[in-house]
């Protein structure tokens, strides 16, 4: 799932279809594909002739194309801000998963409220069920994906955050998202590359 | 005359370096609200910040946090976000790459300076080569298209920091060297880099550079 979780959920919700090219690790280590990647990393995303790297650049591109980037320039700036906040949170999660799972997982879970409270406050203030304005943006899909990961890590972590809990419930219930989350394509993939925290269902 | 922009930040270049250079190059004026650390630790301002962090940026009534969101906002306002949707996506990609590189720099500066500085400098070519390749391929002197974008200002600021760390680190990267020279020579940037306002601020909050 990793850094494609949010963009797959976004594509699904936007009624898009897409092709998956799966790269296995031995193949990657040969370096042929890697040398063609601008920063030597995946994911790689193609929209016709446009080739993109960096998961958040992909999200922003889809936000522009599918009207999921706020209603005007001011909202766009707030969507950017919220997505950057999700990215900061995702970096902490990824660090724990890949570097400190056995030793740091419990501390990480205890410390979660200090990160969750920021997003709880924004949702509670906005009251629309979205982070910015009154429609979904790429920042919402990004946060939703990250919260799903955290619920696998700690199924009760949102219990004292009613707006976040409601946000996850509402996003999960959107018909196209629900269908995607129920699909084999989604369920068969582990969240992270090192197998920590296993499958979502 | 000061426009509608206000930057609230600590007395460092840090994560405002790129956006100040961008504002200067775009001929903008702005107000600086300097926060000292004891004041910050009291928590009053911090509790009003969406993620509990600075910088804080005001454009009239719009209040923004997250340095890259500020750069993107300025990119939209000052036509420094590529010429169309495809270029905008490439500008985003390049800025995210700069951010990844900045995170490594910041980690070394704040957590591993004494023990990790030499290894970091030795390893720099593995990061610089990515940007060298993009500039060499694009040939316009900018990362994307044929005009400056917020990604250029972000990269330029980060490269200036690295030249302080290691003055020879760009010597085997002709496109990066030329990029820094050209950006530095832009009249408004040159004036800003020569100013007291710029020179008096340390790069980082812990005095390491």
């Amino acid at each position: 799932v990793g850094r494609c979780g949010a963009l797959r959920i976004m594509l699904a919700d936007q009624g898009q279809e897409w092709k998956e090219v799966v790269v296995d690790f031995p193949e990657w280590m040969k370096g042929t594909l890697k040398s063609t990647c601008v920063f030597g990393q995946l994911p790689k995303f193609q929209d016709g002739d446009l080739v993109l790297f960096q998961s958040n650049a992909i999200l922003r591109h889809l936000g522009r194309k599918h009207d999921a980037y706020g209603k005007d320039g001011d909202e766009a700036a707030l969507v950017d801000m919220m997505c950057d906040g999700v990215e900061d949170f995702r970096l902490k999660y990824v660090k724990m998963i890949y570097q400190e799972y056995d030793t740091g997982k419990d501390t990480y879970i205890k410390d979660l409220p200090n990160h969750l409270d920021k997003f709880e406050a924004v949702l509670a203030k906005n009251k629309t069920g979205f982070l910015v304005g009154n429609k979904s943006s790429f920042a919402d899909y990004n946060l939703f994906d990250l919260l799903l990961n955290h619920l696998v890590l700690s199924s009760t972590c949102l219990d004292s955050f009613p707006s976040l809990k409601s946000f996850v419930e509402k996003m999960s219930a959107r018909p196209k998202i629900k269908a995607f989350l129920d699909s084999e394509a989604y369920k068969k993939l582990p969240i992270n590359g090192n197998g920590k925290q296993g499958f979502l269902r």
Side-chain angles (χ1 to χ4, degrees), chain A:
Chain A
V1 177
R3 282 185 170 279
C4 283
L7 66 99
R8 285 187 183 117
I9 289 168
M10 180 174 186
L11 286 168
D13 195 46
Q14 297 291 334
Q16 299 299 306
E17 292 187 7
W18 65 93
K19 183 180 166 194
E20 298 266 2
V21 174
V22 181
V23 178
D24 71 34
F25 209 64
E27 186 188 330
W28 176 251
M29 290 312 285
K30 287 180 194 162
T32 325
L33 172 60
K34 185 176 161 79
S35 64
T36 71
C37 301
V38 174
F39 299 106
Q41 298 172 319
L42 297 176
K44 169 183 176 180
F45 187 83
Q46 286 154 282
D47 175 2
D49 291 334
L50 178 66
V51 178
L52 277 185
F53 301 93
Q54 293 285 355
S55 57
N56 294 307
I58 299 164
L59 282 172
R60 287 186 162 91
H61 176 66
L62 295 175
R64 254 169 237 122
K65 286 196 77 167
H66 298 284
D67 192 26
Y69 211 142
K71 71 178 199 289
D72 56 25
D74 280 11
E75 281 198 359
L78 296 173
V79 171
D80 278 335
M81 175 177 81
M82 294 314 303
C83 193
D84 285 359
V86 174
E87 173 64 25
D88 283 352
F89 186 18
R90 187 180 290 280
L91 286 170
K92 293 180 162 68
Y93 168 80
V94 165
K95 181 182 179 190
M96 182 278 294
I97 287 285
Y98 285 97
Q99 296 178 30
E100 298 159 359
Y101 187 82
D102 298 315
T103 55
K105 178 180 142 184
D106 293 339
T107 310
Y108 180 85
I109 292 171
K110 277 207 194 78
D111 189 50
L112 271 180
N114 293 325
H115 304 296
L116 295 171
D117 64 349
K118 311 292 187 295
F119 299 97
E120 174 73 14
V122 170
L123 285 169
K125 187 174 175 189
N126 198 30
K127 296 183 180 39
T128 60
F130 303 106
L131 286 167
V132 178
N134 55 13
K135 65 181 181 191
S136 60
S137 72
F138 62 86
D140 292 305
Y141 298 114
N142 202 4
L143 177 64
F144 175 56
D145 169 75
L146 191 58
L147 291 176
L148 289 179
N149 291 357
H150 281 83
L151 286 168
V152 173
L153 184 69
S154 164
S155 59
T156 55
C157 69
L158 299 187
D159 286 359
S160 28
F161 297 101
S163 299
L164 285 172
K165 218 173 175 188
S166 163
F167 172 78
V168 170
E169 281 160 15
K170 287 201 176 122
M171 291 292 280
S172 302
R174 286 164 78 100
K176 298 194 175 96
I177 292 185
K178 186 178 189 316
F180 178 64
L181 296 181
D182 283 342
S183 71
E184 265 318 295
Y186 178 75
K187 290 198 274 193
K188 74 181 179 185
L189 292 182
I191 300 178
N192 303 299
N194 63 353
K196 303 288 190 204
Q197 218 42 70
F199 290 68
L200 279 167
R201 305 277 167 104

